[in-house]
Amino acid sequence: MASGTASPELEVIGREGELSRLRDFVLGEPNERVVVLSGGPGVGKTTLWEAAVAASTEQGAHVLSARAAEAEKTLPFATLSDLFQWIPIEAGPDLPEPQRRALDVALLRAEPAGAPAKTRAIALGVLSVLRSLAVERPVLVAIDDVQWTDAASMEALAFAARRLDGESVRIMLARRPGRPTPLEQATASRATGLILEGLSLGAVRRLLATRLELVLSRRVVRQVFEGTLGNPLFVLELGRTLTEVGPPAIGEELALPDSLDELLGARASAAPKPRRALLAVALGGGLTVSELVELVGDDALEAAVERGLLLEEDGRLRPSHPLLAAALLKRVRARERRELHRALAEVVSEPARRARHLALAATLPDTELARIVAAGAAGALARGATQQAVELAEQALRLTPTGAAERHERVLELAEWLKRANEVSR
Ligand SMILES: Nc1ncnc2c1ncn2[C@@H]1O[C@H](COP(=O)(O)OP(=O)(O)OP(=O)(O)O)[C@@H](O)[C@H]1O
Ligand SMILES: [Mg+2]
């Protein structure tokens, strides 16, 4: 998405201080290049990130935004495609032809032709586009769940970010705690952190009242607050349960489930059809509405959306919350995953994606399958998607029977591509 988001407009409760800080950041001094919103699962990073994206658009910034998704981490240039979705990449004095071409191929706007796209040309193209946009008005590059940005996008963005100087380009990242991504490492000297904590007691009360129309006594609100440490996702899931079972009697403890994961797992698994739809999206990597309908049918999709498991955005589906998908994936056996990967291979048309699903569905070596996966790897390389090429080449090798004639060639190929993947542009 380029501006705003397609999620329903929900009131942001509390967070006034954080939001005003983010507003100032976008239009402030360029010595602060990057802001990293971090905090535990469900604490409200995406909510704040969305509000900041909307506010920046309103203030006249040029906003390029993307939500990285766990299922799309293996899809090369997924994040970059989202960021550049509404940006026409045109040849001009700022964008030399090889860069335009490399970007077009990487973002699937043109077919690869001739030599594989050079990672460097793609990254330079990103830098040129950001610079030329920033001449018009301040630019905000906003990525939610940056830890799931695919490797190809990450590399290009880190390259560009390192070379930005006085330009009015800001980067806002949201992420769970963990190791900094290459993009953050590239900009560490000009980055500031914003750590989100749980909501206050008053905000928890307002959250329950506005989102679930649940008005509880002071005593029970306090129990919810203490049991969840104000984590809004946990508060909402617990609130949903309280709506069903009713509040605890005086003197009784709030029956707090062991974990948020348990609550989410139960919701994700409650009915078989929506569960399958959610699982397909979790494994599918950027599944479109028509692909999912072909796989599970209209009614399963509808039921999953109605139950609040899936959201549709720009014709693609995503889990309504990443933790919901994670909770379900944890409860699924390998066999069921493989079965679904096999079915996914039937509905996705892009060769590299199809090859990946076929590989993940297979346990044993198979000459013909290995050939298809190796072809998928070569296709990925032609797009400049080195990391994906390496992953598929590894799978192709795993599926090549011992003693097969192609084995030697595949080992050499993999070695060559691994070398290229490690030559991260500096
Ligand atoms: N300030 C807020 N006001 C109202 N609702 C909120 C607020 N913060 C979070 N929520 C709600 O709580 C839930 C979890 O929030 P959100 O998805 O933003 O968390 P997150 O930190 O991004 O989680 P994750 O780490 O899994 O990405 C959502 O349903 C969201 O609408
Ligand atoms: Mg989030």
Side-chain angles (χ1 to χ4, degrees), residues 87-151:
I87 309 288
I89 296 170
E90 283 160 16
D94 296 335
L95 195 58
E97 175 60 18
Q99 290 178 24
R100 188 192 58 76
R101 191 122 196 98
L103 260 185
D104 275 344
V105 170
L107 303 182
L108 293 176
R109 296 176 186 188
E111 287 296 322
K118 292 266 187 320
T119 313
R120 198 181 162 80
I122 298 168
L124 279 170
V126 170
L127 179 61
S128 304
V129 172
L130 291 179
R131 278 186 176 144
S132 72
L133 289 175
V135 172
E136 297 165 17
R137 48 205 165 107
V139 171
L140 175 68
V141 176
I143 307 175
D144 186 20
D145 283 323
V146 64
Q147 73 275 7
W148 290 323
T149 296
D150 62 277

Short mmCIF file of all heavy atoms in Angstrom, two decimals, residues 87-151:
data_model
loop_
_atom_site.label_atom_id
_atom_site.label_comp_id
_atom_site.label_asym_id
_atom_site.label_seq_id
_atom_site.Cartn_x
_atom_site.Cartn_y
_atom_site.Cartn_z
N ILE A 87 3.98 3.56 -7.16
CA ILE A 87 4.99 4.47 -7.70
C ILE A 87 5.32 4.06 -9.13
O ILE A 87 5.84 2.97 -9.36
CB ILE A 87 6.30 4.38 -6.88
CG1 ILE A 87 6.02 4.54 -5.39
CG2 ILE A 87 7.33 5.39 -7.37
CD1 ILE A 87 5.64 5.90 -4.94
N PRO A 88 5.04 4.88 -10.11
CA PRO A 88 5.46 4.52 -11.47
C PRO A 88 6.97 4.66 -11.57
O PRO A 88 7.53 5.66 -11.12
CB PRO A 88 4.75 5.56 -12.36
CG PRO A 88 4.37 6.67 -11.45
CD PRO A 88 4.39 6.19 -10.04
N ILE A 89 7.61 3.61 -12.09
CA ILE A 89 9.07 3.68 -12.19
C ILE A 89 9.39 4.08 -13.62
O ILE A 89 9.33 3.28 -14.53
CB ILE A 89 9.70 2.33 -11.81
CG1 ILE A 89 9.38 2.06 -10.34
CG2 ILE A 89 11.19 2.34 -12.03
CD1 ILE A 89 9.71 0.70 -9.88
N GLU A 90 9.67 5.34 -13.81
CA GLU A 90 9.88 5.81 -15.16
C GLU A 90 11.31 6.23 -15.38
O GLU A 90 11.98 6.73 -14.48
CB GLU A 90 8.95 6.99 -15.44
CG GLU A 90 7.54 6.49 -15.68
CD GLU A 90 6.51 7.57 -15.49
OE1 GLU A 90 6.92 8.74 -15.47
OE2 GLU A 90 5.34 7.23 -15.37
N ALA A 91 11.73 6.05 -16.62
CA ALA A 91 13.08 6.50 -16.96
C ALA A 91 13.06 8.02 -16.96
O ALA A 91 12.12 8.63 -17.43
CB ALA A 91 13.46 5.98 -18.33
N GLY A 92 14.03 8.61 -16.38
CA GLY A 92 14.12 10.06 -16.37
C GLY A 92 15.56 10.38 -16.12
O GLY A 92 16.38 9.46 -16.04
N PRO A 93 15.87 11.64 -15.96
CA PRO A 93 17.27 11.98 -15.72
C PRO A 93 17.79 11.29 -14.44
O PRO A 93 18.96 11.00 -14.32
CB PRO A 93 17.24 13.50 -15.56
CG PRO A 93 15.80 13.90 -15.44
CD PRO A 93 14.98 12.78 -15.99
N ASP A 94 16.87 11.01 -13.49
CA ASP A 94 17.31 10.44 -12.21
C ASP A 94 17.44 8.92 -12.26
O ASP A 94 18.02 8.34 -11.37
CB ASP A 94 16.28 10.76 -11.12
CG ASP A 94 16.20 12.23 -10.86
OD1 ASP A 94 17.20 12.91 -11.14
OD2 ASP A 94 15.13 12.70 -10.41
N LEU A 95 16.83 8.30 -13.23
CA LEU A 95 16.80 6.84 -13.20
C LEU A 95 17.32 6.25 -14.51
O LEU A 95 16.58 6.10 -15.47
CB LEU A 95 15.36 6.37 -12.93
CG LEU A 95 15.20 4.91 -12.52
CD1 LEU A 95 16.00 4.61 -11.27
CD2 LEU A 95 13.73 4.59 -12.28
N PRO A 96 18.61 5.90 -14.51
CA PRO A 96 19.18 5.33 -15.73
C PRO A 96 18.47 4.04 -16.15
O PRO A 96 17.99 3.30 -15.28
CB PRO A 96 20.63 5.04 -15.34
CG PRO A 96 20.88 5.82 -14.10
CD PRO A 96 19.56 5.99 -13.42
N GLU A 97 18.48 3.78 -17.43
CA GLU A 97 17.76 2.63 -17.99
C GLU A 97 18.07 1.29 -17.30
O GLU A 97 17.14 0.55 -16.96
CB GLU A 97 18.02 2.60 -19.51
CG GLU A 97 17.44 1.40 -20.25
CD GLU A 97 15.92 1.28 -20.15
OE1 GLU A 97 15.25 2.29 -19.80
OE2 GLU A 97 15.40 0.17 -20.38
N PRO A 98 19.36 0.94 -17.04
CA PRO A 98 19.60 -0.38 -16.41
C PRO A 98 18.95 -0.49 -15.04
O PRO A 98 18.48 -1.56 -14.65
CB PRO A 98 21.13 -0.42 -16.27
CG PRO A 98 21.66 0.61 -17.20
CD PRO A 98 20.60 1.65 -17.35
N GLN A 99 18.89 0.62 -14.30
CA GLN A 99 18.25 0.58 -12.97
C GLN A 99 16.74 0.40 -13.12
O GLN A 99 16.12 -0.36 -12.39
CB GLN A 99 18.51 1.87 -12.22
CG GLN A 99 19.96 2.03 -11.79
CD GLN A 99 20.18 3.35 -11.08
OE1 GLN A 99 19.26 3.95 -10.53
NE2 GLN A 99 21.41 3.83 -11.10
N ARG A 100 16.15 1.14 -14.07
CA ARG A 100 14.71 1.02 -14.26
C ARG A 100 14.35 -0.41 -14.64
O ARG A 100 13.44 -1.01 -14.09
CB ARG A 100 14.23 1.98 -15.36
CG ARG A 100 12.70 2.04 -15.45
CD ARG A 100 12.22 2.75 -16.70
NE ARG A 100 12.71 2.12 -17.91
CZ ARG A 100 12.24 0.99 -18.41
NH1 ARG A 100 11.25 0.36 -17.82
NH2 ARG A 100 12.76 0.48 -19.51
N ARG A 101 15.13 -0.97 -15.57
CA ARG A 101 14.86 -2.32 -16.04
C ARG A 101 15.00 -3.33 -14.89
O ARG A 101 14.14 -4.18 -14.68
CB ARG A 101 15.88 -2.59 -17.15
CG ARG A 101 15.75 -3.65 -17.93
CD ARG A 101 15.61 -4.05 -19.29
NE ARG A 101 15.15 -5.43 -19.22
CZ ARG A 101 13.91 -5.79 -19.34
NH1 ARG A 101 12.97 -4.92 -19.57
NH2 ARG A 101 13.57 -7.05 -19.24
N ALA A 102 16.10 -3.19 -14.12
CA ALA A 102 16.33 -4.13 -13.01
C ALA A 102 15.18 -4.05 -12.01
O ALA A 102 14.69 -5.08 -11.52
CB ALA A 102 17.65 -3.81 -12.32
N LEU A 103 14.71 -2.84 -11.71
CA LEU A 103 13.60 -2.68 -10.77
C LEU A 103 12.32 -3.29 -11.33
O LEU A 103 11.59 -3.98 -10.62
CB LEU A 103 13.34 -1.20 -10.50
CG LEU A 103 13.90 -0.59 -9.23
CD1 LEU A 103 13.44 0.85 -9.08
CD2 LEU A 103 13.48 -1.39 -7.99
N ASP A 104 12.06 -3.02 -12.60
CA ASP A 104 10.84 -3.56 -13.22
C ASP A 104 10.82 -5.09 -13.18
O ASP A 104 9.79 -5.70 -12.92
CB ASP A 104 10.72 -3.09 -14.67
CG ASP A 104 10.05 -1.73 -14.76
OD1 ASP A 104 9.43 -1.33 -13.76
OD2 ASP A 104 10.16 -1.08 -15.81
N VAL A 105 11.97 -5.70 -13.43
CA VAL A 105 12.03 -7.17 -13.42
C VAL A 105 11.87 -7.68 -11.99
O VAL A 105 11.09 -8.59 -11.72
CB VAL A 105 13.36 -7.67 -14.04
CG1 VAL A 105 13.53 -9.17 -13.82
CG2 VAL A 105 13.40 -7.36 -15.53
N ALA A 106 12.57 -7.03 -11.04
CA ALA A 106 12.49 -7.47 -9.64
C ALA A 106 11.07 -7.37 -9.13
O ALA A 106 10.59 -8.24 -8.42
CB ALA A 106 13.43 -6.62 -8.78
N LEU A 107 10.36 -6.30 -9.52
CA LEU A 107 9.01 -6.08 -8.99
C LEU A 107 7.95 -6.75 -9.86
O LEU A 107 6.76 -6.46 -9.74
CB LEU A 107 8.73 -4.57 -8.88
CG LEU A 107 9.72 -3.79 -8.00
CD1 LEU A 107 9.33 -2.32 -7.91
CD2 LEU A 107 9.80 -4.38 -6.59
N LEU A 108 8.40 -7.65 -10.75
CA LEU A 108 7.51 -8.42 -11.61
C LEU A 108 6.67 -7.54 -12.54
O LEU A 108 5.54 -7.87 -12.87
CB LEU A 108 6.57 -9.32 -10.79
CG LEU A 108 7.20 -10.48 -10.01
CD1 LEU A 108 6.17 -11.20 -9.17
CD2 LEU A 108 7.88 -11.46 -10.94
N ARG A 109 7.24 -6.39 -12.94
CA ARG A 109 6.51 -5.55 -13.89
C ARG A 109 7.01 -5.81 -15.30
O ARG A 109 6.48 -5.30 -16.26
CB ARG A 109 6.71 -4.08 -13.56
CG ARG A 109 6.12 -3.70 -12.21
CD ARG A 109 6.42 -2.26 -11.88
NE ARG A 109 5.98 -1.95 -10.54
CZ ARG A 109 5.97 -0.72 -10.04
NH1 ARG A 109 6.37 0.30 -10.76
NH2 ARG A 109 5.54 -0.50 -8.81
N ALA A 110 8.11 -6.57 -15.41
CA ALA A 110 8.64 -6.93 -16.72
C ALA A 110 9.26 -8.32 -16.63
O ALA A 110 9.65 -8.77 -15.55
CB ALA A 110 9.69 -5.91 -17.15
N GLU A 111 9.32 -9.00 -17.77
CA GLU A 111 9.92 -10.33 -17.83
C GLU A 111 11.44 -10.19 -17.83
O GLU A 111 11.96 -9.27 -18.46
CB GLU A 111 9.50 -11.03 -19.13
CG GLU A 111 8.05 -11.49 -19.16
CD GLU A 111 7.77 -12.55 -18.11
OE1 GLU A 111 8.65 -13.41 -17.89
OE2 GLU A 111 6.68 -12.50 -17.50
N PRO A 112 12.14 -11.12 -17.15
CA PRO A 112 13.60 -11.05 -17.23
C PRO A 112 14.06 -11.33 -18.66
O PRO A 112 13.46 -12.14 -19.36
CB PRO A 112 14.07 -12.15 -16.30
CG PRO A 112 12.87 -12.89 -15.83
CD PRO A 112 11.65 -12.21 -16.33
N ALA A 113 15.09 -10.62 -19.10
CA ALA A 113 15.66 -10.89 -20.42
C ALA A 113 17.16 -10.70 -20.29
O ALA A 113 17.63 -9.82 -19.58
CB ALA A 113 15.10 -9.92 -21.45
N GLY A 114 17.92 -11.54 -20.94
CA GLY A 114 19.38 -11.41 -20.92
C GLY A 114 19.95 -11.85 -19.58
O GLY A 114 19.40 -12.72 -18.91
N ALA A 115 21.04 -11.22 -19.20
CA ALA A 115 21.77 -11.62 -17.98
C ALA A 115 20.92 -11.38 -16.74
O ALA A 115 20.06 -10.51 -16.75
CB ALA A 115 23.06 -10.81 -17.89
N PRO A 116 21.15 -12.18 -15.67
CA PRO A 116 20.39 -11.97 -14.43
C PRO A 116 20.52 -10.53 -13.93
O PRO A 116 21.58 -9.92 -14.08
CB PRO A 116 21.06 -12.92 -13.44
CG PRO A 116 21.77 -13.93 -14.25
CD PRO A 116 22.09 -13.29 -15.56
N ALA A 117 19.43 -10.04 -13.35
CA ALA A 117 19.44 -8.66 -12.84
C ALA A 117 20.50 -8.55 -11.75
O ALA A 117 20.67 -9.44 -10.93
CB ALA A 117 18.07 -8.32 -12.28
N LYS A 118 21.22 -7.46 -11.76
CA LYS A 118 22.25 -7.24 -10.75
C LYS A 118 21.61 -6.63 -9.51
O LYS A 118 20.87 -5.65 -9.60
CB LYS A 118 23.30 -6.27 -11.29
CG LYS A 118 24.13 -6.83 -12.42
CD LYS A 118 25.42 -7.43 -11.87
CE LYS A 118 26.40 -7.87 -12.93
NZ LYS A 118 25.86 -8.51 -14.10
N THR A 119 21.93 -7.24 -8.36
CA THR A 119 21.39 -6.74 -7.11
C THR A 119 21.70 -5.25 -6.95
O THR A 119 20.89 -4.46 -6.49
CB THR A 119 22.04 -7.50 -5.94
OG1 THR A 119 21.99 -8.88 -6.26
CG2 THR A 119 21.32 -7.26 -4.65
N ARG A 120 22.91 -4.88 -7.37
CA ARG A 120 23.34 -3.50 -7.22
C ARG A 120 22.48 -2.54 -8.04
O ARG A 120 22.15 -1.44 -7.57
CB ARG A 120 24.80 -3.42 -7.64
CG ARG A 120 25.49 -2.19 -7.15
CD ARG A 120 26.94 -2.19 -7.65
NE ARG A 120 27.47 -0.85 -7.54
CZ ARG A 120 27.92 -0.32 -6.41
NH1 ARG A 120 27.92 -1.05 -5.31
NH2 ARG A 120 28.36 0.91 -6.37
N ALA A 121 22.11 -2.97 -9.24
CA ALA A 121 21.28 -2.10 -10.08
C ALA A 121 19.90 -1.90 -9.44
O ALA A 121 19.34 -0.80 -9.47
CB ALA A 121 21.13 -2.70 -11.47
N ILE A 122 19.37 -2.96 -8.84
CA ILE A 122 18.06 -2.85 -8.19
C ILE A 122 18.17 -1.87 -7.01
O ILE A 122 17.35 -0.97 -6.85
CB ILE A 122 17.60 -4.25 -7.68
CG1 ILE A 122 17.44 -5.20 -8.87
CG2 ILE A 122 16.31 -4.13 -6.89
CD1 ILE A 122 17.27 -6.66 -8.47
N ALA A 123 19.21 -2.06 -6.21
CA ALA A 123 19.38 -1.21 -5.02
C ALA A 123 19.60 0.25 -5.42
O ALA A 123 19.04 1.16 -4.79
CB ALA A 123 20.55 -1.73 -4.20
N LEU A 124 20.38 0.48 -6.46
CA LEU A 124 20.60 1.85 -6.93
C LEU A 124 19.29 2.45 -7.44
O LEU A 124 19.03 3.64 -7.25
CB LEU A 124 21.64 1.87 -8.05
CG LEU A 124 23.10 1.82 -7.59
CD1 LEU A 124 24.03 1.59 -8.78
CD2 LEU A 124 23.48 3.11 -6.85
N GLY A 125 18.48 1.60 -8.08
CA GLY A 125 17.18 2.06 -8.56
C GLY A 125 16.31 2.53 -7.41
O GLY A 125 15.66 3.58 -7.47
N VAL A 126 16.31 1.76 -6.32
CA VAL A 126 15.53 2.13 -5.13
C VAL A 126 15.99 3.49 -4.61
O VAL A 126 15.19 4.39 -4.33
CB VAL A 126 15.67 1.06 -4.03
CG1 VAL A 126 15.07 1.53 -2.72
CG2 VAL A 126 15.01 -0.24 -4.48
N LEU A 127 17.31 3.64 -4.51
CA LEU A 127 17.88 4.90 -4.03
C LEU A 127 17.47 6.08 -4.93
O LEU A 127 17.03 7.13 -4.44
CB LEU A 127 19.40 4.76 -3.97
CG LEU A 127 20.18 5.99 -3.51
CD1 LEU A 127 19.79 6.38 -2.10
CD2 LEU A 127 21.69 5.73 -3.58
N SER A 128 17.57 5.88 -6.23
CA SER A 128 17.22 6.96 -7.17
C SER A 128 15.76 7.36 -7.03
O SER A 128 15.43 8.55 -7.03
CB SER A 128 17.45 6.53 -8.62
OG SER A 128 18.76 6.12 -8.80
N VAL A 129 14.88 6.35 -6.92
CA VAL A 129 13.45 6.67 -6.82
C VAL A 129 13.18 7.45 -5.52
O VAL A 129 12.47 8.45 -5.53
CB VAL A 129 12.60 5.38 -6.88
CG1 VAL A 129 11.14 5.68 -6.59
CG2 VAL A 129 12.71 4.73 -8.26
N LEU A 130 13.77 6.99 -4.41
CA LEU A 130 13.54 7.70 -3.13
C LEU A 130 14.03 9.14 -3.22
O LEU A 130 13.35 10.07 -2.79
CB LEU A 130 14.27 6.98 -1.98
CG LEU A 130 13.71 5.61 -1.58
CD1 LEU A 130 14.54 5.01 -0.45
CD2 LEU A 130 12.24 5.72 -1.15
N ARG A 131 15.21 9.32 -3.82
CA ARG A 131 15.75 10.68 -3.94
C ARG A 131 14.84 11.57 -4.76
O ARG A 131 14.58 12.72 -4.40
CB ARG A 131 17.12 10.64 -4.60
CG ARG A 131 18.20 10.31 -3.61
CD ARG A 131 19.57 10.41 -4.26
NE ARG A 131 20.60 10.18 -3.27
CZ ARG A 131 21.73 9.56 -3.51
NH1 ARG A 131 21.99 9.08 -4.72
NH2 ARG A 131 22.61 9.39 -2.55
N SER A 132 14.33 11.03 -5.88
CA SER A 132 13.54 11.91 -6.73
C SER A 132 12.17 12.20 -6.09
O SER A 132 11.65 13.30 -6.24
CB SER A 132 13.42 11.35 -8.16
OG SER A 132 12.58 10.25 -8.15
N LEU A 133 11.64 11.25 -5.33
CA LEU A 133 10.36 11.53 -4.64
C LEU A 133 10.56 12.61 -3.57
O LEU A 133 9.70 13.46 -3.36
CB LEU A 133 9.81 10.27 -3.97
CG LEU A 133 9.25 9.17 -4.87
CD1 LEU A 133 8.88 7.95 -4.03
CD2 LEU A 133 8.05 9.66 -5.67
N ALA A 134 11.73 12.55 -2.91
CA ALA A 134 11.98 13.47 -1.80
C ALA A 134 12.18 14.91 -2.26
O ALA A 134 12.13 15.84 -1.45
CB ALA A 134 13.19 13.00 -0.99
N VAL A 135 12.43 15.09 -3.54
CA VAL A 135 12.57 16.45 -4.06
C VAL A 135 11.21 17.16 -3.97
O VAL A 135 11.12 18.35 -3.67
CB VAL A 135 13.06 16.42 -5.53
CG1 VAL A 135 13.02 17.81 -6.15
CG2 VAL A 135 14.47 15.85 -5.58
N GLU A 136 10.13 16.40 -4.21
CA GLU A 136 8.78 16.99 -4.19
C GLU A 136 8.31 17.29 -2.77
O GLU A 136 7.87 18.38 -2.44
CB GLU A 136 7.77 16.03 -4.81
CG GLU A 136 8.01 15.73 -6.27
CD GLU A 136 7.20 14.52 -6.72
OE1 GLU A 136 6.23 14.13 -6.00
OE2 GLU A 136 7.54 13.94 -7.77
N ARG A 137 8.33 16.27 -1.91
CA ARG A 137 7.89 16.44 -0.53
C ARG A 137 8.52 15.37 0.35
O ARG A 137 9.07 14.40 -0.19
CB ARG A 137 6.36 16.40 -0.42
CG ARG A 137 5.68 15.26 -1.13
CD ARG A 137 4.24 15.63 -1.48
NE ARG A 137 3.67 14.72 -2.44
CZ ARG A 137 2.75 13.81 -2.16
NH1 ARG A 137 2.29 13.70 -0.94
NH2 ARG A 137 2.29 13.02 -3.09
N PRO A 138 8.45 15.54 1.69
CA PRO A 138 9.10 14.56 2.57
C PRO A 138 8.57 13.15 2.30
O PRO A 138 7.38 12.98 2.04
CB PRO A 138 8.70 15.00 3.97
CG PRO A 138 8.19 16.38 3.85
CD PRO A 138 7.78 16.60 2.44
N VAL A 139 9.48 12.20 2.37
CA VAL A 139 9.11 10.81 2.12
C VAL A 139 9.15 10.02 3.42
O VAL A 139 10.07 10.20 4.22
CB VAL A 139 10.08 10.17 1.09
CG1 VAL A 139 9.85 8.68 0.97
CG2 VAL A 139 9.95 10.84 -0.26
N LEU A 140 8.15 9.19 3.64
CA LEU A 140 8.20 8.25 4.76
C LEU A 140 8.13 6.83 4.21
O LEU A 140 7.19 6.48 3.51
CB LEU A 140 7.02 8.48 5.73
CG LEU A 140 6.95 7.46 6.87
CD1 LEU A 140 8.11 7.62 7.85
CD2 LEU A 140 5.62 7.54 7.63
N VAL A 141 9.16 6.04 4.52
CA VAL A 141 9.14 4.62 4.19
C VAL A 141 8.74 3.89 5.46
O VAL A 141 9.45 3.97 6.47
CB VAL A 141 10.53 4.13 3.72
CG1 VAL A 141 10.52 2.63 3.47
CG2 VAL A 141 10.96 4.88 2.47
N ALA A 142 7.58 3.25 5.45
CA ALA A 142 7.07 2.65 6.69
C ALA A 142 6.92 1.14 6.50
O ALA A 142 6.23 0.70 5.59
CB ALA A 142 5.72 3.27 7.04
N ILE A 143 7.59 0.38 7.35
CA ILE A 143 7.49 -1.09 7.24
C ILE A 143 7.08 -1.67 8.60
O ILE A 143 7.77 -1.50 9.60
CB ILE A 143 8.82 -1.73 6.80
CG1 ILE A 143 9.32 -1.07 5.51
CG2 ILE A 143 8.66 -3.24 6.59
CD1 ILE A 143 10.68 -1.56 5.06
N ASP A 144 5.97 -2.37 8.60
CA ASP A 144 5.54 -3.04 9.82
C ASP A 144 6.09 -4.46 9.81
O ASP A 144 6.24 -5.06 8.74
CB ASP A 144 4.00 -3.07 9.89
CG ASP A 144 3.50 -3.62 11.22
OD1 ASP A 144 4.28 -3.61 12.21
OD2 ASP A 144 2.33 -4.06 11.28
N ASP A 145 6.41 -4.99 10.98
CA ASP A 145 6.99 -6.33 11.10
C ASP A 145 8.20 -6.48 10.20
O ASP A 145 8.31 -7.43 9.42
CB ASP A 145 5.93 -7.41 10.79
CG ASP A 145 4.98 -7.60 11.96
OD1 ASP A 145 5.44 -7.52 13.11
OD2 ASP A 145 3.77 -7.82 11.72
N VAL A 146 9.11 -5.53 10.35
CA VAL A 146 10.29 -5.49 9.48
C VAL A 146 11.11 -6.77 9.57
O VAL A 146 11.80 -7.15 8.63
CB VAL A 146 11.14 -4.23 9.79
CG1 VAL A 146 11.71 -4.28 11.19
CG2 VAL A 146 12.25 -4.05 8.77
N GLN A 147 10.97 -7.50 10.70
CA GLN A 147 11.74 -8.75 10.84
C GLN A 147 11.35 -9.78 9.78
O GLN A 147 12.07 -10.73 9.53
CB GLN A 147 11.59 -9.33 12.25
CG GLN A 147 10.24 -9.97 12.58
CD GLN A 147 9.17 -8.97 13.05
OE1 GLN A 147 9.38 -7.77 13.02
NE2 GLN A 147 8.00 -9.46 13.45
N TRP A 148 10.19 -9.59 9.15
CA TRP A 148 9.75 -10.54 8.12
C TRP A 148 9.96 -10.01 6.70
O TRP A 148 9.45 -10.60 5.74
CB TRP A 148 8.27 -10.92 8.34
CG TRP A 148 8.09 -11.75 9.56
CD1 TRP A 148 8.92 -12.73 10.03
CD2 TRP A 148 6.99 -11.71 10.48
NE1 TRP A 148 8.42 -13.28 11.18
CE2 TRP A 148 7.22 -12.68 11.49
CE3 TRP A 148 5.82 -10.95 10.56
CZ2 TRP A 148 6.34 -12.90 12.54
CZ3 TRP A 148 4.94 -11.18 11.60
CH2 TRP A 148 5.21 -12.14 12.59
N THR A 149 10.68 -8.93 6.57
CA THR A 149 10.99 -8.45 5.22
C THR A 149 11.83 -9.50 4.51
O THR A 149 12.75 -10.06 5.10
CB THR A 149 11.76 -7.12 5.31
OG1 THR A 149 10.90 -6.16 5.91
CG2 THR A 149 12.21 -6.62 3.95
N ASP A 150 11.50 -9.79 3.26
CA ASP A 150 12.27 -10.78 2.50
C ASP A 150 13.70 -10.28 2.28
O ASP A 150 13.96 -9.07 2.27
CB ASP A 150 11.58 -11.05 1.16
CG ASP A 150 11.54 -9.79 0.32
OD1 ASP A 150 10.63 -8.95 0.52
OD2 ASP A 150 12.43 -9.63 -0.52
N ALA A 151 14.60 -11.23 2.11
CA ALA A 151 16.02 -10.91 2.04
C ALA A 151 16.36 -9.96 0.88
O ALA A 151 17.19 -9.05 1.04
CB ALA A 151 16.84 -12.19 1.90
#
